[in-house]
Amino acid sequence: DAKTTQPPSMDCAEGRAANLPCNHSTISGNEYVYWYRQIHSQGPQYIIHGLKNNETNEMASLIITEDRKSSTLILPHATLRDTAVYYCIVRVYFRGANNLFFGTGTRLTVIP
Amino acid sequence: DSGVTQTPKHLITATGQRVTLRCSPRSGDLSVYWYQQSLDQGLQFLIQYYNGEERAKGNILERFSAQQFPDLHSELNLSSLELGDSALYFCASSVGSGSPGNTIYFGEGSWLTVV
């Protein structure tokens, strides 16, 4: 089962920052937080991941709280093409490997 | 483009039949993962192979099986198909055996429709 809680849906105005929250209060010390998105029925697209420190790449920024119980994905300037379902995933050790277990995600709609 | 290649993109078959889905991982990746996405179940982890060996097993039915070949491509075999097996099947790959810091990249999926 997913160890994360996300709002089911959010709207964001085009050109504004989209801030997607995620709660993972039961995260363990060596478990990473990953973010993926899925546009329509395409394959999940990797966005970013982190363990303790904040991370930034060309797509987004990931802010992880000091207690690691929650995080926020930031898309700095949302465009219409960012409309998608965003998944926050705690990568857990399960049956011999660290795999991804997807929850229901947040459906982000970017509004013109 | 993630570099993970899946074929076929679309497949329609009848109940009771058997199909094989194929996946080529990204160059250099040794792990292959299979996921199923249906309307009512979301994205479900099925199975992982690392360098030809089964590494982890998720919610994979006994009617389904997979293997990874020496050239690292993988096949997911679905047999005795039922209407409920209609879904998107995703393959993914990563460089390592499943270290939590190694990113997993997904292909574009194979649409299976069972009629």
Side-chain angles (χ1 to χ4, degrees):
Chain A
D1 290 335
K3 294 180 67 171
T4 61
T5 304
Q6 299 178 254
S9 64
M10 292 181 61
D11 293 338
C12 177
E14 187 178 19
R16 303 296 294 266
N19 295 277
L20 291 89
C22 180
N23 287 321
H24 31 79
S25 58
T26 61
I27 193 169
S28 299
N30 60 350
E31 292 175 339
Y32 282 72
V33 178
Y34 275 77
W35 283 84
Y36 284 78
R37 72 181 182 183
Q38 189 173 25
I39 298 172
H40 197 48
S41 294
Q42 297 176 19
Q45 180 187 22
Y46 166 76
I47 301 174
I48 200 167
H49 72 280
L51 182 61
K52 296 178 182 177
N53 300 321
N54 298 337
E55 302 288 344
T56 296
N57 62 20
E58 66 278 5
M59 288 184 67
S61 294
L62 174 60
I63 308 298
I64 302 174
T65 58
E66 194 168 341
D67 64 6
R68 301 211 324 123
K69 293 184 177 182
S70 66
S71 60
T72 301
L73 178 74
I74 301 173
L75 307 178
H77 305 285
T79 71
L80 299 180
R81 287 179 296 179
D82 292 322
T83 292
V85 178
Y86 287 77
Y87 296 97
C88 170
I89 302 163
V90 171
R91 193 161 173 187
V92 300
Y93 188 82
F94 174 77
R95 296 183 185 175
N98 291 281
N99 282 312
L100 297 171
F101 294 91
F102 288 77
T104 53
T106 295
R107 182 173 298 277
L108 175 69
T109 303
V110 180
I111 302 169
Chain B
D1 182 7
S2 67
V4 179
T5 305
Q6 292 187 243
T7 56
K9 288 186 168 35
H10 300 273
L11 188 58
I12 301 174
T13 190
T15 54
Q17 295 297 305
R18 181 179 188 274
V19 299
T20 297
L21 308 180
R22 181 188 169 98
C23 170
S24 294
R26 296 187 325 146
S27 178
D29 284 0
L30 298 178
S31 274
V32 169
Y33 309 76
W34 286 98
Y35 283 77
Q36 178 193 55
Q37 186 172 32
S38 55
L39 282 175
D40 58 346
Q41 291 290 326
L43 269 156
Q44 298 284 314
F45 166 68
L46 295 179
I47 197 164
Q48 177 200 355
Y49 277 80
Y50 172 70
N51 204 22
E53 299 290 328
E54 182 182 304
R55 178 76 174 169
K57 184 177 280 190
N59 300 323
I60 188 167
L61 299 173
E62 286 190 9
R63 298 183 288 109
F64 297 178
S65 65
Q67 55 185 325
Q68 186 179 25
F69 295 87
D71 67 352
L72 300 177
H73 91 271
S74 178
E75 293 181 354
L76 179 66
N77 300 296
L78 314 174
S79 62
S80 303
L81 284 167
E82 303 175 358
L83 296 178
D85 298 327
S86 295
L88 254 175
Y89 291 85
F90 290 108
C91 173
S93 73
S94 69
V95 63
S97 61
S99 171
N102 292 146
T103 301
I104 297 175
Y105 294 93
F106 285 78
E108 288 305 310
S110 293
W111 273 100
L112 172 66
T113 302
V114 182
V115 297

